[in-house]
Amino acid sequence: MSARIDRRAVLSRHDPRLTWADDAILSVGNGRFAVGVDRTGTQTFAGPGSDEERLNTLAEWGWHTMPGEPPAPWESLLRSYSSPRGPVPYLDLPEGTESPSPGAAWFRENPHKVSLMRFALVDRDGGARPSAAEITGATQHLDLWSGTIRSSFRYRGRACTVITSADPERDAIALRVEAPGLDLALSFPYGSTGWERAASWEEPDAHSTRCEGGRIRRRLDDLAYDVLVHGATAEQTDAHEVRLRASGTGDAAGTGHGASAPLRIGESAPRDGVLDVVLELVPREAPALPLPGRAEGTEGTEGAVSTESGAGIRARSARFWAEHWESTGVLDLGQATDPRAHELERRAVLSRYIQRVHAAGTLPPAETGLLANSWRGKFHLEMHWWHAAHFALWGDAASLRRSLDFYVSALPSARETARRQGCRGARWPKQIGPDLHDSPSDIGPFLLWQQPHPIHLAELLRRADPAAALDPTLVEVVEQSALCLVDLLRPDGERLGLGAPLIGAQERHVEDRSRLQDPAFELAYVAWALRVADRWRSRRDARDAGELTTIARRIYSPLRADGVLSTFRADPAMERSDHPSHLLAYGMVPPTGTIPAAAASAALDDALAEWDWDSTWGWDYPALAMTAARLRRPETAVDALLMPTVKNRCDGAGHFPQRPGLPAYLPANGGTLIALALMAAGEDDGPVSPGLPRTWGARHEGILPLPGPLTEL
């Protein structure tokens, strides 16, 4: 028996160590709350006058809506389309509209996620923010084993150190600042309706900040919260700025406690004037979140200011992360001499950290997680599988289970959408916020591939935790998702297809949404998901078990008449740009018997040779790798996952920048982990490591195989 993998050794190979020259942002958090920091360990180089959009303080509950009623009711944005079920209303933007109507714009922009505070270093004498020229020799180390960032630099020649940690459960951070000549200042913005902005510094009269001792009280229209300060004295110095100074000396660096807790990752002994502060954010009034038991909104506490110390949070962070790494999956490629192996291992390690910090909460995350806003912080259910499936595969099923509660609470809204469109069950939207309003778009409401995701995610959870199959709330989500899929099928004699209005995952035929039929990936995905949902029926001895499998058998094969796997079963002709989504039909979707391996292999080779990779997105490369792994082509899988394109670059923090305004892309991180799970652990009844070269000597622990081909009921 081989020795157990040394998880700490694997992690330490990839601890991010950054300098001022690295264009990457490190962050700490707990999945529901996170902060990003610059090389000072704070958010000094952000805020007014800065173009940096990655330095935020974001929480799941931190949503803001502009005051006043929407200029038009949401229902006025519905438009009738012909369908196999007759005329049905879909949320839409009229064709040819260059900009949305005021009503559509309002629902696209509201609610939006808002950055809740900025914490920055300021000169102790003048109160000005240091200039970049005054900060020299900056280095930064994220210790993955403890989830703690240590930042070292010199300010006007004087050595400075900042240690940044997040509480693993509460919305709180600890900052230990040894910075001669510098204080810490908190500043507070208003909400922004900008696509990628999480803060507006231009509207000081639209919100309020009031410092009451160790409690800072904030209000932005429908959002009110407190910032509880411990370990420092707080003094309001401007309408929306509060200065923090060490509140004591000689007792655990000003924490207010007489006994000092053990120091972490190179902390020096406490000295007079060292600031060791805890900042905890507590919502008082926040928009209702669509979660069980939260229907009436999020309400915080009016209780006392926390007595937690910075050392206490650092200790809890260290315990949490050590236990997390020890109890979940690991991939060890350390025996390989191929440099590709080191890079894949690095991406795996950093993606696991990023997903646990930014995407392990109770709501599906935004594409940028809690690092930055994209689509104003709203979440895309079409991306939820890419964000969350890996949790079950890498031994963290609890994080997947948390986010599935969203579907439980959103069922009434999804049922109403299905009813309006002439279907049973529940119809899941593409892009929404906590208000559960589908976001107006000429694409999103017509996408279908998010509809099987809850079935797929529930099945992955069941495989990791068999008790999930007995959870009545998940049973209902699976059943209602499947019923809607059945009614969305298009009868065509004895066969069944998918009909208009429809846009495939490739999103390259928007103008044809009123007539599109039978996208290949969606045909395969629906047929597989219905078979899986039927197994859920069988496990509970439902009287109608077997019915969904019978329906699935009638669905058209994804192949064209000539046997080619293309983006559509028939017209329109394949465009080799954007997502090569047809490859998902034999990769993300396990082989169903309708696509021969030779056809999938030919489609993969065609895409690799002919596709416009500049037009693709970060999850497309894991998609290629999954197809290659299912085909037992390990070299192709590795090369696909590491394809050297602009949108497949993984920066020093582990993020995949896509373009200006989209500086991170969590579907790429999650997709990388899903693909690597398949490449290493394989699929049911398949070979081990089908997507990794044998010469690498790959080892893994705690990683589950992906579903393989289904046998008939």
Side-chain angles (χ1 to χ4, degrees), residues 131-188:
S131 68
E134 292 176 304
I135 303 294
T136 59
T139 61
Q140 197 168 50
H141 171 210
L142 167 57
D143 179 57
L144 294 166
W145 195 254
S146 65
T148 304
I149 299 171
R150 180 183 178 88
S151 306
S152 301
F153 56 94
R154 302 187 77 84
Y155 173 61
R156 296 180 178 175
R158 291 170 287 187
C160 302
T161 301
V162 176
I163 298 174
T164 313
S165 302
D167 191 280
E169 295 180 354
R170 294 154 45 204
D171 301 342
I173 59 170
L175 294 162
R176 187 175 191 275
V177 182
E178 291 187 59
L182 293 170
D183 283 335
L184 193 68
L186 309 182
S187 53
F188 300 93

